[in-house]
Amino acid sequence: MTSPEFPEPTLIAVNGVELEVFEAGRHHAGRPIVLCHGWPELAFSWRHQIPALAAAGYHVIVPNQRGYGNSSRPAEVTAYDIEHLAGDLVALLDHYGYQDATFVGHDWGAMVVWGLTLLHPDRVNGVVNLSLPYQERGEKPWIEVMEEVLGGDFYFVHFNRQPGVADAVFDENTFPFLRNLYRRNAPPMSLIELARTETAPGEPVMSDSELAVFVSAFASTGFTGSINWYRNLDRNWHLLAGVDPVIRQPTLMIYGDRDLVAKSERLAEFVPGVEVVSLDCGHWIQQEKPEETNQLILKWLDQL
């Protein structure tokens, strides 16, 4: 997973696993920023942000999180709960000798950053999250609520209630699935439909060579490790039961106006220090609007 401007990886042992980590600007010790990818993505999703942040004086740390790329892929489903995922990031800070850092997350990476900040607030000095707003815990486990409201075919529910089914479809159709998923202005389609469709409507988000990085990685690893993150949502709901639900760190929330992920109407209740901005794009915010994303993050970091 390299390009002329993309860093070479290092395997780092943390929290009982090995993470494949890409970094830049290490000489800027003391200004760490950790970028956390979503699903089904990789550290490579941040290829446009890494050089800009390093040039601005930050030590940029970008892991392929557990289940992705050449990082460890434990067999146990529960090895992908929020305590493990957050624990990996805390251990990564310990590896570099940092007490805290600014964390940036997109999609599932945002979910992990929210959870990390709740579980280990002293290790997070600022939050930048893209697409996925803070998820209120509520009175019922998340998958249970989704099943009641959105039905059994909704992919979060499907991944949990029919384990292994979607994994096999994606594994057998890795190239069309990822090619069809990473598109702008595409009409809503189920993930299974995307995997079984030759070419979906919409404009590609990335070049063929960039797409090849993702296809090669998932063709090698399969999708089960990454989908296991979804299979811990209700477990996470229980694990967060006794945690203060308020995010008290300065926070930047970046939405895509064309994203199918809904914006939060109550975000400021749980994240009182949040600044909210929107870009004219879909779900793959930092890849669809790289320059605009960089400018927003750097401006906010300057204020921080």
Side-chain angles (χ1 to χ4, degrees):
M1 184 199 303
T2 59
S3 72
E5 296 183 358
F6 201 76
E8 292 293 329
T10 302
L11 283 176
I12 298 176
V14 294
N15 198 31
V17 296
E18 283 191 324
L19 295 184
E20 184 180 25
V21 180
F22 305 81
E23 61 177 311
R26 189 167 189 174
H27 56 288
H28 300 307
R31 302 189 75 193
I33 187 165
V34 184
L35 312 183
C36 302
H37 63 78
W39 182 87
E41 296 183 274
L42 298 163
F44 191 69
S45 306
W46 299 106
R47 61 196 176 279
H48 302 295
Q49 285 67 51
I50 294 171
L53 289 166
Y58 291 90
H59 179 192
V60 190
I61 302 166
V62 195
N64 273 335
Q65 297 176 85
R66 65 167 67 196
Y68 291 83
N70 290 319
S71 294
S72 298
R73 299 188 301 279
E76 301 83 5
V77 172
T78 55
Y80 299 86
D81 68 25
I82 190 60
E83 287 188 344
H84 286 89
L85 297 174
D88 291 350
L89 298 177
V90 168
L92 197 57
L93 289 189
D94 291 341
H95 169 82
Y96 287 107
Y98 292 127
Q99 169 57 36
D100 57 24
T102 302
F103 284 84
V104 183
H106 170 253
D107 182 78
W108 244 110
M111 178 79 84
V112 172
V113 171
W114 293 127
L116 165 70
T117 308
L118 293 175
L119 291 169
H120 303 279
D122 59 323
R123 308 308 297 268
V124 181
N125 60 40
V127 171
V128 180
N129 274 334
L130 287 70
S131 178
L132 188 73
Y134 179 92
Q135 302 297 294
E136 183 178 349
R137 186 171 174 274
E139 297 181 356
K140 293 183 179 180
W142 286 307
I143 295 299
E144 184 178 333
V145 173
M146 290 178 189
E147 189 167 23
E148 290 176 359
V149 175
L150 300 170
D153 290 335
F154 183 60
Y155 70 102
F156 276 73
V157 180
H158 186 277
F159 288 166
N160 279 269
R161 303 299 188 235
Q162 301 185 53
V165 175
D167 316 35
V169 173
F170 301 153
D171 288 352
E172 292 168 5
N173 302 278
T174 300
F175 174 68
F177 172 55
L178 294 177
R179 179 188 58 191
N180 291 336
L181 186 65
Y182 296 131
R183 290 184 176 273
R184 301 182 182 92
N185 304 321
M189 295 177 66
S190 76
L191 297 180
I192 299 296
E193 284 181 301
L194 286 176
R196 289 174 169 164
T197 298
E198 183 173 348
T199 303
E203 177 188 352
V205 167
M206 63 188 77
S207 69
D208 289 346
S209 61
E210 290 170 328
L211 176 62
V213 173
F214 293 89
V215 172
S216 175
F218 283 99
S220 174
T221 65
F223 286 85
T224 296
S226 63
I227 294 176
N228 281 342
W229 291 31
Y230 289 87
R231 296 181 176 128
N232 279 280
L233 268 176
D234 282 357
R235 179 178 174 84
N236 295 347
W237 183 88
H238 289 285
L239 290 171
L240 294 170
V243 176
D244 178 358
V246 178
I247 300 286
R248 305 188 187 280
Q249 287 76 358
T251 300
L252 174 64
M253 181 70 226
I254 304 176
Y255 290 117
D257 281 333
R258 302 171 189 264
D259 196 346
L260 296 180
V261 177
K263 298 177 181 179
S264 172
E265 297 180 357
R266 302 181 61 196
L267 184 61
E269 295 181 34
F270 293 93
V271 192
V274 69
E275 176 183 343
V276 179
V277 295
S278 296
L279 293 174
D280 182 20
C281 63
H283 181 66
W284 314 105
I285 297 171
Q286 76 271 32
Q287 299 186 78
E288 292 185 48
K289 295 286 187 179
E291 294 302 324
E292 294 89 339
T293 300
N294 293 349
Q295 291 170 12
L296 287 173
I297 293 174
L298 289 170
K299 180 181 177 181
W300 182 83
L301 287 170
D302 284 343
Q303 297 170 348
L304 180 68

